[in-house]
Amino acid sequence: MVEPKVELASISLFRATPAQIEETRRRRWPHLGGTLSLAEYITRDEEMDVLEHAQEGKMITWVLAPRENPTTLDFMCACRTYKRASLVAYPPSSPSGPNSVHETTSYGVAAVFTPPSKRGRGYARHMMCLLHWVTASRDNLPEFPKAWGTPPEEVADAGGGLFSVLWSDVGEEFYHSAGPEGKGGGWEKRGPVSTIWEVGTEEGDDEGWKWLTQEQLKGLWDHDAGLIRKELENMLVKNESYDMGRPTALVTCLPTNGVAAFQIPRATYGSNFSMAGGFWGVQSLSNPDTYASWSVEMQPPPPTLIVTRLQASEDTFPGLIAKIKQAARRSGIRKVEVWNLRAGLRDIAEKTGGQTFIRSEHLPQIVWYGPGTTKNVEWVHNEKFCWC
């Protein structure tokens, strides 16, 4: 039965209690549980929530609930946020610390879900509007709309975000419409570009390359974060590197603190799948700054090897993609996918058999809380490693 709509001023956003967290899992399971039983689905979430990317308050579940009964299990809808170490770079033309790179905080948003009985009432959209008020610095937000009552309470472990990202499977407009004032100004689409290869039958030897296990990848992420920072610094003096004409800022999430590592257990939980040799990455021995990591997309079958992070030059990319295809082939996977190859590598990808297209699902979207507008902010390294 569809319930009557309640006034927006009578509801607000709250950090979920343990009982509400379990209720969110029970609600999502029939729709998102796949082949897992309810018990397996709940256990999976519990196990994911104690991994490094979620520890120490970095992951928070939020519920939209009545102000007069915020701990009720009959809440309207829910979502999760992941607090992430990130970088922001300001180009020479920016009024905010030009020619500089800074550490900052961002948030990934996931698990947005409204049960069928509460849909069509605008609850999820209102929840996303309120989410800005608990993740961003309030000094960077406009006046809170009076029709919504009072702002959500500020929560320990949350706030201070300079930008927020998500991946939409319901198109672009829903999240774009959910701004901090409820009239646009929300998350904007950025580069839903994929490149895919059929792996073929070619084999090669492993000379000059090092295969990486999950444990070995952990040692790569600090090095990778350093390279990402250097790349941002270089982009500040090489305007031709920009995807957009004159960005006011360039931002990126970082793969450290378990963010990139999370992609593997998330994808393989509850399956018998394992990569051949237990290898989830590869690195050049002659050029250690050439490497890639990957996970797998099990659904829909057949599985796809999806590259989560790729670092290569135009010269080293063909050899790297050949090794990635080799890893897929040895594991019985027929297709490889990479998100958002930079322009210089897309041309080379085509010559190696890659086909590039615009995705209609998993649309990357970003909202910026700093000076200027979201449309003038460039999201660098918009890759699968930071997906949540």
Side-chain angles (χ1 to χ4, degrees), residues 17-24 73 75:
T17 66
Q20 287 174 324
I21 291 172
E22 180 168 340
E23 177 64 15
T24 66
L73 297 185
F75 53 86

Side-chain angles (χ1 to χ4, degrees), residues 277-329:
F279 298 131
W280 295 93
V282 69
Q283 185 175 26
S284 169
L285 291 174
S286 60
N287 186 344
D289 290 349
T290 295
Y291 49 82
S293 63
W294 51 78
S295 181
V296 289
E297 287 284 353
M298 304 301 295
Q299 300 294 331
T304 297
L305 185 151
I306 183 156
V307 174
T308 53
R309 176 76 179 101
L310 186 146
Q311 177 70 32
S313 67
E314 281 78 356
D315 291 335
T316 62
F317 177 69
L320 180 61
I321 199 65
K323 299 310 292 183
I324 295 170
K325 291 163 66 177
Q326 183 176 314
R329 185 166 50 251

Side-chain angles (χ1 to χ4, degrees), residues 17 38 88 94 107 118 177 197 205 260 275 323 355 383:
T17 66
L38 174 59
V88 58
S94 172
Y107 286 85
K118 298 182 184 295
S177 70
W197 290 260
D205 60 43
M275 289 296 298
K323 299 310 292 183
Q355 296 182 329
E383 301 175 52

